Each structure stands twice: as structure tokens, then as C-alpha cells.
Amino acid sequence: MIIYKTREEIELLRKAAQVVSRTLGKVAEKIEPGVTPLELDRLAEDYIRSQNAVPGFLGLYDFPNSLCISKNEQVVHGIPDNTPLKEGDIVSIDCGAILNGYYGDHAFTFAVGEVDDETQKLLDVTKECLYLGIEECRAGSRLGDIGFAIQNHAEKHGYGVVRELVGHGIGKEMHEEPQVPNYGKRGRGKKLKEGLVVAIEPMINMGTKAIKQLDDGWTIITRDKQPSAHFEHDVAIVDGKPDILSTFDYVEEALEKKAKVHG
């Protein structure tokens, strides 16, 4: 059952999403060769708690950490470890927080130092897929319209669109109805209505769409070991139109500052 949200609930969800956005901004400041995923995880947990919020992933379905940190061929659900990031890696950081009983859930894929042009294109196209999907999140549209927009753009560039993992409704639970696939056909699926709040999250692979799970029971990787990118926003339908509750502004500010220092 889809739980449509009131304006007041949407504002509470926005506040939770913004905690996650600011956390990703703090993480962005620290991402560089030599830093370990566990260091980033501790930083995120401390910051989330400093905002009177609770890490949304820690303990959820028994996940052991506050961030999912997925490198290179890892698609999602990577468990932070002590292996330092290297120049040329890409790393997807997925973060959740609970504030006033509502969840925020939000992800960004970072380049570590300089990456090659082919990898940068994957990041750019995946982010474009996210915003094309968001544009379809309107009253009267259908779920398939979101998936079609994402799939069409990704496949136009020769990329694989992960099928087994999808976006989702969000509210007092991290995962609510409806599921929001990153593939689909126009005009198919549930009709979108005012008050819907969903996490839209394209997971796009440079090669094949095929994935597999590692023995840790969490980490998902591409079967062909080619890189994968993941971007996610929380989106509400307000006055019939998409209203993005999360923001990449904090991440982009941090990356711009770092570019000036290194430039």
C-alpha cells in the first residue's frame, strides 16, 4: 500500500533528507587517495548524530555501518573497510538518516582524484539519468515513465541498467511502496499522485546489466567487473510537480573548494 504524505510530512522528510545531504557534503570534503571507507563511515555517523538524527542504515536489516560505500565494480551495499581509496577509483556513498521519525536516503558517486574520460562519462550520464527520471515524477504520470526515461538515456550510451535493485517509497520506513524500477515502458505501472514521496536511484553499469552478490551477504558487484555508478534523490510530488527534498549542493560546494585548492 502506498502511503501518501501530507505537506507537513513532506517538510519533515525534507529535513531528514537535508541531514543526509549535509553529511554527504562532509564526506565529500574528505574523499581523496589514502582515506579509508571506515574513516568516512565514522565521520558520517558522528555528523548525523550531531544533528540530533540517527544513522538510518546502521542496524537496518542488520547492516553493520552508517554508510554503504561501493568502489568501482561494486554497485551498491558495499561494507566500509580499512582499504585506502586509490587515485582513479570511483566510490558510491549511500547514506541514510532518521530525524523526527522520518527517513532521508541519498547517494552520490565520487571520483577519487582524477579518473579517465570513460569513467567520468559514466558518472555524468548516471547523474543525468537521475534528473531525467525525476522530471517524470509528476501527478498523472506512471511509474513506467520514470523507468523509461532512465533506461532510455543509459542504454543510448551503451550502458547496462541494473534490474534487481530499484528505488522505493520513503517515509517512516526506509523502504515503502511503491518500488521504482530504473527501467520500464511509458504509460505502464501505477499512476503517480500528489503526496507521493520516493527515492529515485539509478544504478548504471559501464558494461552488462548483470550483477551478483558477494559472500559477505551485502556487496553487489557487476558480473563483468566493469565500473558502476549510483546517484539518488528523495523526491515528493507537490502541486503536481517533482520537488527534490535532498540536494547535491553541499557535495558540489565541497568538490569546488577542493578543485580550487588543487588547481
Side-chain angles (χ1 to χ4, degrees):
M1 183 180 76
I2 298 174
I3 303 167
Y4 297 97
K5 310 301 190 293
T6 64
R7 293 291 176 100
E8 291 77 15
E9 288 177 306
I10 288 169
E11 291 313 308
L12 288 167
L13 283 160
R14 190 190 310 277
K15 286 178 179 170
Q18 292 283 323
V19 169
V20 180
S21 299
R22 293 195 299 274
T23 305
L24 288 177
K26 297 290 182 189
V27 169
E29 292 171 9
K30 300 295 182 185
I31 287 184
E32 59 186 19
V35 74
T36 71
L38 270 175
E39 288 173 312
L40 299 176
D41 186 67
R42 281 193 289 272
L43 167 73
E45 179 174 353
D46 289 347
Y47 182 76
I48 290 167
R49 293 191 188 283
S50 79
Q51 303 301 294
N52 297 315
V54 177
F57 293 172
L58 185 61
L60 183 70
Y61 313 123
D62 295 325
F63 189 74
N65 293 88
S66 297
L67 295 178
C68 294
I69 301 185
S70 309
K71 292 182 289 188
N72 301 324
E73 76 275 9
Q74 296 176 353
V75 182
V76 284
H77 302 162
I79 298 174
D81 62 15
N82 271 317
T83 307
L85 300 179
K86 302 190 307 294
E87 181 86 15
D89 282 344
I90 59 171
V91 57
S92 162
I93 309 274
D94 194 356
C95 179
I98 310 165
L99 181 68
N100 299 318
Y102 287 86
Y103 276 89
D105 179 20
H106 185 26
F108 192 96
T109 301
F110 296 89
V112 181
E114 296 291 323
V115 298
D116 61 49
D117 290 346
E118 198 179 359
T119 303
Q120 185 60 51
K121 183 185 170 192
L122 174 69
L123 301 184
D124 293 343
V125 169
T126 305
K127 196 199 277 188
E128 289 163 9
C129 285
L130 171 62
Y131 286 103
L132 288 168
I134 289 169
E135 185 59 30
E136 300 294 332
C137 191
R138 296 172 173 277
S141 296
R142 293 191 178 269
L143 274 174
D145 299 340
I146 297 174
F148 175 83
I150 292 168
Q151 179 184 6
N152 185 54
H153 191 61
E155 291 181 349
K156 198 164 64 181
H157 290 276
Y159 298 146
V161 179
V162 174
R163 300 295 202 271
E164 296 88 339
L165 301 153
V166 296
H168 50 90
I170 188 165
K172 289 185 174 178
E173 302 291 334
M174 172 70 78
H175 296 115
E176 297 184 354
E177 290 296 320
Q179 292 192 344
V180 185
N182 296 306
Y183 60 94
K185 295 189 173 163
R186 283 208 175 280
R188 299 281 181 88
K190 281 190 165 51
K191 190 176 275 193
L192 309 182
K193 298 179 187 174
E194 184 78 11
L196 179 73
V197 183
V198 290
I200 297 176
E201 49 177 326
M203 289 155 264
I204 307 298
N205 301 340
M206 189 179 284
T208 172
K209 66 186 183 218
I211 59 171
K212 65 178 181 179
Q213 188 175 59
L214 296 185
D215 291 341
D216 63 15
W218 282 103
T219 310
I220 304 293
I221 67 165
T222 57
R223 279 194 178 272
D224 60 7
K225 303 288 180 70
Q226 290 207 64
S228 183
H230 173 217
F231 289 85
E232 177 179 22
H233 270 315
D234 298 336
V235 184
I237 298 180
V238 177
D239 294 329
K241 301 189 292 291
D243 182 354
I244 305 174
L245 307 182
S246 42
T247 179
F248 290 145
D249 287 355
Y250 301 105
V251 165
E252 285 160 1
E253 281 167 25
L255 296 180
E256 278 169 24
K257 268 188 206 165
K258 281 163 75 172
K260 281 179 187 163
V261 169
H262 295 301

